[in-house]
Amino acid sequence: MSLTETSQNRLLALARQSIAHGLETGRPLPVDLDTYPAELREIRATFVTLERRGQLRGCIGMLEAVRPLAEDVAENAFAAAFRDRRFPPLAAGELADLDLHISVLSPAVALTFLSEADLIAQLRPGIDGIILQEGARRGTFLPSVWEDLPNPTEFLQHLKQKAGLPAAYWSDKIQAYRYTTEMFG
């Protein structure tokens, strides 16, 4: 389900407001869901990606839909700015030249495969977000990661490393899930 341009713009503004609110208060912006249209109150999973001068500055999201869309964006924007362990918390001077991107995820669907080669053959570069999981280890790449890793074999190797597994690792216990995103920003 695609969001209207008005709703996309409203979510982008909400994300920026939540980060600004976080700079002032140390907390995400509280969301009054009654002021949002029905499509922004639906339970949806999102990722918010922050870039500054073309470089990644934070990316946090949810793989499972557990909150209303507007609330998820406000929480994830705050978390991307202040809780992404790969980066120091955002400073006030960085907000002005911050580019925000929001990815709204479809529900994840389990992939059935017999081998690593079978899984690789099923990957759809540029379309699929993939969740890879074995036991407590789990990692995901959004579909936008295909821009940097267009080769399905390399994509999977890097995803295994993100999940805390060796790049060459394989096991019959590995599970994989596919999802798509609507990305804007």
Side-chain angles (χ1 to χ4, degrees):
M1 178 200 82
S2 285
L3 296 171
T4 65
E5 187 177 345
T6 300
S7 288
Q8 290 178 4
N9 290 334
R10 189 146 182 210
L11 289 175
L12 288 164
L14 173 63
R16 191 170 292 279
Q17 290 163 3
S18 189
I19 294 168
H21 184 80
L23 285 166
E24 294 171 17
T25 67
R27 293 185 305 277
L29 182 71
V31 175
D32 179 2
L33 291 172
D34 293 336
T35 66
Y36 286 87
E39 76 172 346
L40 299 185
R41 294 192 312 260
E42 289 180 16
I43 307 299
R44 303 284 303 272
T46 68
F47 271 76
V48 176
T49 304
L50 310 178
E51 290 181 347
R52 186 163 180 259
R53 298 183 179 134
Q55 299 296 311
L56 181 66
R57 184 58 180 86
C59 182
I60 298 279
M62 302 282 286
L63 292 171
E64 289 87 25
V66 296
R67 314 182 265 232
L69 183 52
E71 192 176 294
D72 204 57
V73 166
E75 294 285 336
N76 290 336
F78 173 84
F82 303 107
R83 295 187 181 142
D84 187 328
R85 288 186 234 122
R86 298 170 293 180
F87 303 96
L90 193 79
E94 295 179 281
L95 184 58
D97 56 354
L98 206 60
D99 291 319
L100 284 73
H101 304 279
I102 297 172
S103 298
V104 181
L105 281 60
S106 71
V109 176
L111 292 170
T112 304
F113 46 92
L114 300 172
S115 64
E116 183 174 22
D118 186 17
L119 174 58
I120 289 168
Q122 293 182 49
L123 300 180
R124 300 176 303 180
I127 298 169
D128 289 336
I130 300 293
I131 303 165
L132 196 69
Q133 183 170 346
E134 185 184 59
R137 297 182 186 274
R138 181 168 89 162
T140 190
F141 279 154
L142 295 170
S144 57
V145 173
W146 288 105
E147 294 170 17
D148 296 321
L149 294 168
N151 177 294
T153 301
E154 290 177 25
F155 184 93
L156 186 60
Q157 289 171 342
H158 283 267
L159 182 53
K160 285 190 269 186
Q161 291 175 311
K162 185 176 182 188
L165 301 166
Y169 179 82
W170 188 253
S171 156
D172 291 340
K173 293 183 171 74
I174 287 180
Q175 298 172 297
Y177 304 85
R178 168 192 340 246
Y179 60 89
T180 58
T181 62
E182 177 184 355
M183 185 176 161
F184 51 91

